[in-house]
Amino acid sequence: MPNSAVASCDDLQTELTRQEEFPSCRFSVAPMLDWTDRHCRYFHRLMSEHALLYTEMVTTGAIIHGKGDFLAYNEEEHPLALQLGGSNPADLARCAQLAQERGYDEINLNVGCPSDRVQNGMFGACLMGEADLVAQCVSAMREVVDIPVTVKTRIGIDEQDSYEFLTQFISTVSEKSGCDDFTIHARKAWLKGLSPKENREIPPLDYPRVYQLKRDFPHLKMAINGGIKTFEEMDEHLKHLDGVMVGREAYQNPYMMAQVDQRLFGSTKPIIKQRELVEAMFPYIERQLANGSYLGHISRHMLGLFQGLPGARQWRRHISENAHKPGAGIEVLQQAVAKIPAELDV
């Protein structure tokens, strides 16, 4: 057998072993503020049974002192992780306990968001400079829950962007808290001078650094996040890491989710078609409308469903122009999907 074939078999066996050890994080959709709400997650779940879905970041203050129910979700969303924002160990522990009682499958601590508002609350990416505090926060949560407590972080902040800084952060948090599950956004964050949007685009991606991190901490579960768009890219990352987390691509081009189970989890179920997906949303939409939701709050997550196909622009335009109108219901989507040429088998 050629050496390349031997290497390929070895790589495959390594990847299969990793999947057996760490199956749950193989593919996840990133927590995205104002995007991955419960309507979005229900929509994504219709396309993938196995993807791990995350809530938007919810602050401990909102959960403890807010008037709304910030832990509400649809039972169909499992497996589902709650991402928490905060830096007070006692508050985080209380929220983690509440989340476990509500049935969440994982608690994730945000150590990656770079916005000014988050920094002012002393959480998010600025916590990378407070590794001991992060360890205390994770320890406090792990002491009161049985579900996994994980950390999502960057590869550095501001001028603290050396590999040594990153490894010190990971070793401190993992050793002092017992946390063994990290998702690494493969960019550093600039805490001053860049907006959150710019922080998702301007700092360069450094995938090799995350690969090296996994080699140096082989006992830890590690997933990678940042700029991932195609399954070919995911396959490459999975040669080095335990999981991939996809953000904007899963939201702006949601139909990619329909292939996740087949491409990454070995499912043999037929892939749902776009028209079937629209129809599958109707019962959910009608229930939500009956409970006081507005169509636009749900349909906005579906705008990219026909991306790249003839009629996609008309689909988006019809929904955008009509979903906000008083009394708008599933007829808006029925009319919108009629804009997609009937001869397309989608």
Side-chain angles (χ1 to χ4, degrees):
M1 184 180 292
N3 289 338
S4 61
V6 172
S8 177
C9 289
D10 289 344
D11 290 344
L12 177 59
Q13 185 58 51
T14 298
E15 184 176 342
L16 290 174
T17 301
R18 184 181 297 129
Q19 290 176 38
E20 292 172 1
E21 293 175 345
F22 307 131
S24 62
C25 75
R26 186 162 174 76
F27 179 91
S28 61
V29 178
M32 292 178 282
L33 201 59
D34 298 325
W35 288 9
T36 51
D37 63 17
R38 58 197 181 98
H39 303 313
C40 174
R41 299 191 302 265
Y42 185 93
F43 180 49
H44 282 169
R45 182 59 69 212
L46 288 178
M47 291 179 274
S48 171
E49 294 180 5
H50 299 295
L52 176 61
L53 303 180
Y54 282 79
T55 67
E56 306 167 87
M57 182 189 69
V58 185
T59 66
T60 55
I63 294 172
I64 296 172
H65 305 295
K67 294 181 179 179
D69 183 359
F70 292 92
L71 295 178
Y73 66 92
N74 307 289
E75 284 298 323
E76 294 88 348
E77 295 173 34
H78 292 291
L80 177 64
L82 170 70
Q83 187 182 65
L84 286 174
S87 59
N88 180 292
D91 288 349
L92 284 163
R94 181 178 176 187
C95 291
Q97 201 165 26
L98 290 172
Q100 177 170 275
E101 291 170 0
R102 293 290 291 272
Y104 279 88
D105 301 296
E106 176 188 312
I107 307 296
N108 179 264
L109 180 63
N110 183 316
V111 189
C113 182
S115 77
D116 291 340
R117 183 178 62 178
V118 166
Q119 292 177 55
N120 292 337
M122 189 54 192
F123 53 93
C126 64
L127 286 176
M128 281 203 79
E130 304 286 345
D132 285 327
L133 176 58
V134 173
Q136 292 171 27
C137 290
V138 174
S139 291
M141 289 187 282
R142 294 186 76 239
E143 286 175 4
V144 297
V145 299
D146 300 317
I147 57 178
V149 177
T150 67
V151 171
K152 184 175 188 289
T153 188
R154 295 267 185 152
I155 59 173
I157 50 172
D158 297 334
E159 302 301 335
Q160 296 174 291
D161 61 355
S162 68
Y163 185 67
E164 290 71 25
F165 171 76
L166 177 60
T167 56
Q168 184 62 43
F169 174 81
I170 296 296
S171 63
T172 297
V173 174
S174 61
E175 291 170 12
K176 292 189 175 182
S177 75
C179 179
D180 64 355
D181 192 331
F182 294 82
T183 297
I184 314 294
H185 186 158
R187 305 179 197 269
K188 77 172 185 177
W190 284 105
L191 300 182
K192 301 295 182 184
L194 292 183
S195 69
K197 181 179 185 298
E198 290 170 330
N199 260 301
R200 292 191 296 268
E201 299 170 350
I202 293 178
L205 288 160
D206 191 346
Y207 296 142
R209 179 169 293 199
V210 184
Y211 298 166
Q212 183 62 49
L213 194 67
K214 174 62 183 181
R215 288 195 292 270
D216 290 340
F217 295 88
H219 58 292
L220 300 180
K221 186 192 305 184
M222 286 191 187
I224 192 167
N225 171 232
I228 303 169
K229 294 185 176 182
T230 69
F231 284 99
E232 290 71 26
E233 292 169 350
M234 295 180 218
D235 290 339
E236 180 60 30
H237 291 312
L238 288 169
K239 293 176 183 177
H240 307 274
L241 295 151
D242 308 304
V244 292
M245 174 182 278
V246 177
R248 284 170 290 171
E249 186 67 13
Y251 189 87
Q252 295 167 349
N253 179 26
Y255 193 58
M256 62 87 64
M257 293 282 297
Q259 297 185 58
V260 165
D261 291 358
Q262 288 75 12
R263 293 289 299 266
L264 299 179
F265 293 93
S267 173
T268 58
K269 289 186 177 181
I271 295 174
I272 189 171
K273 294 184 177 181
Q274 282 111 310
R275 293 183 199 274
E276 295 172 339
L277 191 53
V278 175
E279 293 179 0
M281 282 293 291
F282 289 167
Y284 174 78
I285 291 172
E286 289 181 322
R287 290 197 303 271
Q288 294 300 315
L289 295 182
N291 289 329
S293 294
Y294 294 97
L295 178 64
H297 293 167
I298 306 170
S299 61
R300 69 188 181 99
H301 303 300
M302 303 171 66
L303 291 176
L305 179 58
F306 294 95
Q307 181 173 301
L309 293 177
R313 181 177 300 177
Q314 290 83 354
W315 154 267
R316 293 193 301 270
R317 179 183 300 163
H318 188 83
I319 294 173
S320 298
E321 292 177 351
N322 295 281
H324 67 282
K325 295 179 179 178
I330 61 171
E331 72 283 348
V332 172
L333 294 177
Q334 291 170 326
Q335 294 159 3
V337 80
K339 308 290 183 182
I340 307 299
E343 61 270 18
L344 292 179
D345 183 26
V346 296

